[in-house]
């Protein structure tokens, strides 16, 4: 009797422990934060130029943008001979950059398979002089180096197999055919191939679900059901296939995506697939601050490289990845396995959290020797992440903590200050959160009140003939405001923007705090702190006035 009680107690405690440390298929992904995207294929041969003309837009779309006939495009395969391809070196580079996973285009919209496919001749083995599967050795290198592996697979668009979709429509009769037959005979079997033949994938990354009705998307489900640990994104079907991750592209959602896993994919220059003349490289500082920004909002960063037809990752990419890697080597603790920032806004940078450690990622190092942190908790210890032996002095300053920091930023990109705090982080709520909003006008189901509800998925829209569009919030008490964020619904490629003016009520007069212009993808603007109770946002110029969220932050 006694023994069985002890056994039951032991079992119960074992259950409790396993529940606490419950692992699921997303656990590694949540901890990883940073991955490498690789766009590689036949398009690296024309590399942005067709018929002597530079073709606008992203390199991997050259066939569509240049309306290159199928037969002509196929001839490029004869020049695709990546003899300098060194999969081990690619994986090592990703690892050196601090990336934990890698996702490569196993087949992009041009329909070309980088793997040995039995259901088509349009693949690396049958169509190129190289003649060897490119993904086998890459998968082996990933496994050897402990890097998780994902394949991008363009399930809907396929510009070379008859019946495949093409956004904008077919431009060559060779593309015409039944999409269902294409799915049954090419796409579904190929997905089976990539899942079965590469030692198990960690991720499948679908793309552009053009014409992917529910019935068509469902064709992939029987295959996928055999891989319960496979992570998939949200681009399989037109509707209703949410997958595991949301995939904002080329821009960072201003307030993250609450309640979902999300991953921002981004290019280092302006193209995914290699273009010989695209030199518009983002700086290491921008890329690194993007990573920190994304992680502070709870997301992952999937950063792209576009290798050449010879199999070389362009030097500017390699340089940047190595610089990021150097930073990650000493500051990785403030990235991997962290959770989103407890702060809604920090004027000088971003925050991440792990246990009782609060990591303060300083983008703009204060020149007065003091870092003001709006945290209410007791701080037990403060130090630079790169110099934990030397504690920094912490003083109270109003509701904030003031950290005494060195005069000069220890890092040229992002300097990390660590605070060890007592208990869960406590911060003041967003002043505008949940507050009453009124507007010059609003449409049913697009009420102004949506603007302060913390949900970026609903929106406010004024009526069509509104000539003087504004929204107004009452903060209930006078509050010092130091920044404003708007969440907007568009993508970078929509090329939308809105001109906005933040105003505040002083006496009986609306005064201008700041005018600014957004790019339609959400925006945060710092202002000279203003103390007021009522604020207005005027939409000065917009083709389609709308906002998802409007946030006013406390100036510290
Ligand atoms: C898609 C692909 O088309 C692109 O080639 C690349 O692979 C990227 C990661 O994913 O990008 C898109 C998707 C949708 C649009 C533009 C680019 N769009 O709707 O205009």
């Amino acid at each position: 009797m006694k023994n069985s009680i002890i056994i039951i107690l032991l079992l119960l405690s074992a259950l409790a422990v396993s529940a606490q440390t419950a692992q699921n298929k997303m656990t590694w992904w949540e901890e990883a934060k940073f991955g490498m995207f690789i766009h590689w294929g036949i398009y690296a041969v024309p590399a942005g130029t067709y018929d002597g003309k530079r073709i606008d837009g992203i390199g991997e779309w050259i066939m569509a943008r240049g309306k290159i006939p199928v037969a002509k495009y196929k001839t490029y395969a004869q020049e695709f001979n990546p003899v300098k391809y060194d999969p081990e070196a690619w994986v090592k580079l990703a690892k050196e950059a601090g990336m934990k996973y890698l996702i490569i285009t196993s087949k992009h919209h041009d329909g070309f398979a980088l793997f040995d496919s039995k259901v088509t001749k349009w693949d690396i083995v049958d169509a190129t002089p190289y003649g060897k599967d490119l993904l086998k050795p890459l998968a082996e290198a990933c496994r050897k180096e402990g890097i998780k592996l994902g394949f991008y697979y363009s399930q809907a668009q396929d510009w070379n197999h008859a019946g495949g979709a093409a956004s904008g429509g077919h431009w060559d009769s060779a593309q015409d055919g039944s999409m269902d037959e294409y799915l049954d005979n090419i796409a579904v079997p190929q997905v089976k191939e990539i899942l079965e033949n590469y030692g198990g994938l960690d991720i499948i990354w679908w793309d552009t679900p053009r014409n992917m009705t529910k019935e068509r998307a469902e064709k992939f489900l029987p295959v996928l059901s055999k891989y319960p640990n496979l992570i998939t994104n949200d681009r399989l079907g037109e509707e209703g296939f949410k997958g595991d991750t949301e995939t904002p592209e080329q821009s960072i959602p201003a307030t993250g995506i609450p309640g979902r896993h999300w991953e921002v994919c981004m290019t280092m220059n302006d193209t995914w697939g290699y273009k010989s003349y695209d030199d518009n490289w983002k700086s290491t500082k921008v890329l690194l601050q993007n990573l920190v920004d994304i992680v502070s909002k709870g997301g992952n960063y999937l950063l792209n490289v576009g290798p050449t037809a010879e199999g070389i990752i362009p030097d500017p990419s390699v340089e940047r990845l190595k610089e990021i890697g150097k930073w990650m080597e000493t500051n990785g603790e403030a990235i991997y396995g962290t959770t989103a920032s407890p702060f809604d806004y920090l004027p000088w940078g971003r925050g991440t959290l792990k246990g009782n450690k609060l990591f303060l990622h300083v983008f703009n190092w204060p020149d007065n020797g003091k870092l003001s942190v709006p945290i209410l908790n007791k701080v037990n210890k403060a130090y630079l992440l790169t110099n934990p032996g030397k504690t920094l002095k912490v003083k109270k300053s109003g509701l904030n903590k003031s950290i005494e920091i060195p005069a000069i930023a220890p890092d040229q990109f992002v300097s990390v200050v660590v605070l060890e705090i007592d208990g869960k982080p406590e911060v003041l709520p967003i002043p505008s959160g949940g507050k009453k909003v009124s507007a010059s006008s609003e449409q049913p189901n697009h009420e102004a009140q949506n603007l302060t509800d913390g949900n970026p998925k609903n929106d406010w829209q004024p009526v069509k003939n509104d000539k003087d569009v504004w929204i107004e919030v009452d903060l209930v008490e006078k509050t010092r405001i130091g920044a404003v964020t708007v969440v907007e619904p568009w993508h970078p490629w929509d090329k939308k923007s809105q001109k906005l003016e933040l105003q505040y009520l002083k006496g009986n007069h609306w005064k201008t705090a700041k005018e600014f212009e957004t790019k339609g993808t959400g925006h945060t603007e710092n202002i000279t702190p203003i103390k007021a109770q009522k604020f207005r946002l005027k939409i000065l110029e917009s083709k389609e006035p709308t906002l998802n969220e409007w946030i006013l932050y406390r100036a510290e």
Side-chain angles (χ1 to χ4, degrees):
M1 184 59 190
K2 227 182 184 173
N3 274 348
S4 57
I5 288 176
I6 288 171
I7 287 171
I8 287 170
L9 283 175
L10 279 175
L11 279 174
L12 280 175
S13 59
L15 265 177
V17 168
S18 71
Q20 265 172 25
T21 56
Q23 300 265 319
N24 61 59
K25 73 171 180 182
M26 298 308 292
T27 305
W28 74 261
W29 189 96
E30 287 163 4
E31 289 168 357
K33 309 297 183 193
F34 194 26
M36 177 182 272
F37 214 175
I38 306 178
H39 275 72
W40 198 30
I42 296 300
Y43 38 80
V45 173
T49 304
Y50 170 55
D51 236 1
K53 284 193 244 2
R54 291 184 170 190
I55 306 294
D56 274 353
I58 40 188
E60 72 283 6
W61 275 71
I62 190 169
M63 183 177 175
R65 293 274 150 77
K67 299 216 182 313
I68 304 177
V70 170
K72 163 71 192 168
Y73 190 82
K74 286 209 158 137
T75 64
Y76 288 129
Q78 285 146 34
E79 292 166 68
F80 191 73
N81 192 18
V83 288
K84 296 196 177 148
Y85 175 48
D86 184 348
E88 189 115 357
W90 287 14
V91 174
K92 281 188 171 148
L93 176 65
K95 202 169 164 175
E96 192 182 336
M99 293 159 153
K100 302 290 186 189
Y101 60 109
L102 175 161
I103 301 175
I104 187 168
T105 49
S106 65
K107 182 196 95 166
H108 204 267
H109 307 332
D110 66 1
F112 178 80
L114 268 60
F115 56 98
D116 182 12
S117 174
K118 301 300 174 204
V119 296
T120 181
K121 294 261 177 255
W122 186 227
D123 72 359
I124 183 72
V125 175
D126 299 310
T128 75
Y130 189 74
K132 287 173 292 208
D133 191 315
L134 292 168
L135 303 186
K136 273 257 158 80
L138 188 69
E140 273 156 29
C142 281
R143 216 148 291 126
K144 188 171 149 204
E145 298 294 333
I147 295 291
K148 300 277 184 186
L149 177 66
F151 283 0
Y152 167 112
Y153 186 85
S154 176
Q155 78 285 10
Q157 291 204 70
D158 188 315
W159 307 327
N160 267 283
H161 294 103
S167 97
H170 293 155
W171 57 91
D172 180 334
S173 59
Q175 298 167 321
D176 297 344
S178 148
M179 182 160 179
D180 288 298
E181 278 174 33
Y182 151 75
L183 290 171
D184 294 339
N185 300 332
I186 304 290
V188 173
Q190 284 194 332
V191 167
K192 223 170 149 208
E193 288 179 328
I194 59 178
L195 283 168
E196 280 172 4
N197 298 343
Y198 296 85
L201 298 179
D202 300 296
I203 300 171
I204 281 201
W205 214 93
W206 310 111
D207 203 6
T208 59
R210 182 148 296 258
N211 302 336
M212 286 296 279
T213 58
K214 186 164 173 287
E215 291 69 31
R216 286 174 175 161
E218 278 172 354
K219 289 175 186 283
F220 293 88
L221 299 187
V223 192
L224 296 176
S225 70
K226 291 184 201 150
Y227 303 90
N229 289 327
L230 186 70
I231 295 172
T232 60
N233 71 358
D234 58 345
R235 299 187 181 189
L236 174 61
E238 278 170 334
E239 252 172 73
F241 295 84
K242 296 175 73 141
D244 302 299
T245 59
E246 295 211 18
T247 51
E249 184 172 322
Q250 298 288 37
S251 74
I252 301 170
T255 57
I257 306 181
R260 291 277 291 159
H261 289 100
W262 55 279
E263 169 188 74
V264 173
C265 55
M266 203 183 277
T267 52
M268 284 196 209
N269 50 0
D270 292 323
T271 182
W272 303 93
Y274 179 68
K275 276 177 96 169
S276 63
Y277 51 87
D278 182 342
D279 296 318
N280 193 25
W281 300 98
K282 296 171 186 77
S283 68
T284 302
K285 184 175 191 166
V286 165
L287 297 171
L288 197 51
Q289 292 190 349
N290 282 344
L291 171 66
V292 172
D293 186 23
I294 291 164
V295 173
S296 81
K297 290 169 178 169
N300 280 14
Y301 197 25
L302 185 62
L303 187 56
N304 185 71
V305 297
T308 66
E310 274 193 309
I312 299 289
I313 295 177
D315 278 343
S317 299
V318 175
E319 280 164 30
R320 283 159 181 76
L321 289 173
K322 288 191 170 172
E323 282 185 324
I324 293 172
K326 258 214 173 121
W327 185 90
M328 291 291 262
E329 208 177 284
T330 44
N331 297 281
E333 192 193 339
I335 298 289
Y336 305 120
T338 60
T339 52
S341 179
F343 305 105
D344 302 295
Y345 172 76
L346 292 170
W348 37 256
R350 301 291 184 274
T352 55
L353 180 70
K354 198 178 336 183
N356 70 333
K357 280 187 187 163
L358 194 49
F359 299 104
L360 308 172
H361 300 253
V362 186
F363 294 179
N364 303 306
W365 193 256
D367 48 22
N368 64 353
K370 291 185 187 86
L371 187 69
S372 182
V373 188
I375 186 84
L376 302 175
N377 305 55
K378 179 168 176 265
V379 175
N380 294 325
K381 202 178 166 194
Y383 49 90
L384 296 174
L385 182 57
T386 49
N387 191 4
K390 190 175 182 308
T391 52
L392 304 174
K393 277 197 190 126
V394 182
K395 285 194 189 133
K396 271 198 176 174
S397 148
L399 290 173
N400 287 3
K401 302 293 183 292
S402 174
I403 320 293
E404 274 186 33
I405 50 170
I408 293 165
D411 192 278
Q412 59 174 318
F413 303 126
V414 178
S415 305
V416 181
V417 174
V418 187
L419 302 188
E420 293 184 3
I421 58 169
D422 253 1
K424 280 210 173 113
E426 283 174 50
V427 299
L428 291 176
I430 294 177
S432 58
K435 293 292 178 346
K436 181 95 192 59
V437 189
S438 49
S440 55
S441 70
E442 62 185 21
Q443 293 192 40
N445 296 321
H446 304 276
E447 288 85 9
Q449 203 52 52
N450 288 340
L451 290 164
T452 56
D453 69 350
N455 175 6
K457 298 228 158 151
N458 57 24
D459 66 8
W460 155 75
Q461 284 173 30
V463 297
K464 286 281 178 284
N465 57 4
D466 192 341
K467 288 280 173 295
D468 179 25
V469 184
W470 52 262
I471 46 181
E472 184 180 319
V473 69
D474 183 347
L475 301 181
V476 183
E477 57 188 7
K478 280 199 168 177
T479 313
R480 267 183 89 227
I481 296 302
V484 53
T485 285
V486 290
V487 178
E488 300 172 288
W490 297 294
H491 303 286
W493 55 79
D494 298 328
K495 298 215 157 63
K496 302 254 175 163
S497 72
Q498 304 190 91
K499 266 201 190 135
L500 306 172
E501 180 185 339
L502 184 70
Q503 302 181 330
Y504 60 101
L505 191 62
K506 192 176 178 201
N508 291 321
H509 296 284
W510 287 102
K511 303 248 176 194
T512 302
K514 193 150 190 192
E515 271 187 35
F516 56 97
E517 189 168 354
T518 73
K519 289 181 178 153
T521 57
H523 185 88
T524 295
E525 186 78 17
N526 292 331
I527 61 169
T528 311
I530 282 165
K531 194 167 182 178
Q533 181 178 334
K534 291 188 175 176
F535 285 82
R536 261 191 191 186
L537 194 66
K538 284 192 74 153
I539 300 207
L540 301 178
E541 247 180 79
S542 172
K543 292 212 174 83
E544 228 180 295
T546 182
L547 290 173
N548 300 97
E549 287 289 295
W550 175 33
I551 306 169
L552 295 171
Y553 302 103
R554 226 173 282 275
E556 29 78 59

